[in-house]
Amino acid sequence: GSEDEDDEVSVHVAKLMAEYEAKAAAGGATAQEPDTDLEAVGKDKDARADAAFLRFKMRTDKSKAQCLRYCFSPTARPLWLMSQHQQAVEDVPKCSSCGSARHFEFQVMPQLLFYLQQAPSTHEDTDADPTELDLDWGTVAVYSCASNCSAGQEAPDGYVEEHVWVQPHPK
């Protein structure tokens, strides 16, 4: 299951980190000469591998075209692109309608950006080039009411505001 995959990823990440640190200590990997085994986005300012990025890369390599990840569960967590700018579970605000906790429900993956740039424009009143869209994100995590409440009198159409956290793409 998911815990086995997480354990497998953690073991693999620890192995990659040990190999990278040994290579760096031997003078084989520096900020001036990037390690070819890791992409630049997966390193911090000291050129150390980011464990969250390695976990993200390993998981997304299994399905490179995946644009959405869905899992509504009290134990589900987003697959973060990097260690920085993650939202802690305790920082997710409670439902504004009923006051219940919110759980992670789904995330929009950065791979969607590729498909948005490839899509022909459907707006007849614009000459906008889809390749010039000013969109960029690392991942977008959406948290929904754990009680699956409906808004009642506050929103008679039944829609309730959810919480969205955007992890920016590293620059």
Side-chain angles (χ1 to χ4, degrees):
S2 180
E3 288 180 26
D4 292 337
E5 284 181 357
D6 286 345
D7 289 344
E8 176 186 326
V9 168
S10 295
V11 168
H12 185 70
V13 166
K15 180 183 172 197
L16 286 174
M17 289 292 290
E19 289 174 8
Y20 179 80
E21 289 169 356
K23 190 174 185 180
T30 66
Q32 291 76 29
E33 298 174 0
D35 182 8
T36 57
D37 297 333
L38 300 172
E39 296 180 33
V41 72
K43 297 179 186 176
D44 66 14
K45 66 181 187 304
D46 297 323
R48 289 184 302 226
D50 183 325
F53 175 75
L54 293 173
R55 191 171 290 114
F56 180 90
K57 182 98 172 88
M58 286 182 60
R59 183 70 61 90
T60 58
D61 277 353
K62 293 178 182 177
S63 180
K64 293 181 183 196
Q66 183 181 41
C67 294
L68 293 173
R69 295 184 73 244
Y70 180 87
C71 184
F72 184 68
S73 163
T75 60
R77 301 290 178 263
L79 182 59
W80 298 112
L81 178 67
M82 60 186 169
S83 297
Q84 299 81 24
H85 308 293
Q86 294 183 8
Q87 183 163 45
V89 174
E90 59 272 9
D91 293 336
V92 174
K94 298 199 180 300
C95 176
S96 58
S97 180
C98 74
S100 293
R102 285 188 172 119
H103 293 161
F104 168 71
E105 183 169 2
F106 71 94
Q107 74 185 101
V108 181
M109 306 297 284
Q111 291 86 325
L112 180 61
L113 292 167
F114 170 78
Y115 294 105
L116 290 175
Q117 291 177 349
Q118 300 302 312
S121 177
T122 59
H123 301 287
E124 295 174 13
D125 61 341
T126 182
D127 293 326
D129 180 354
T131 62
E132 294 178 8
L133 290 174
D134 191 21
L135 293 174
D136 204 5
W137 65 79
T139 194
V140 178
V142 179
Y143 298 83
S144 299
C145 177
S147 298
N148 197 24
C149 74
S150 61
Q153 292 183 10
E154 291 180 29
D157 59 4
Y159 291 105
V160 178
E161 183 177 307
E162 306 298 359
H163 175 70
V164 176
W165 182 261
V166 178
Q167 183 182 45
H169 189 279
K171 299 294 178 194

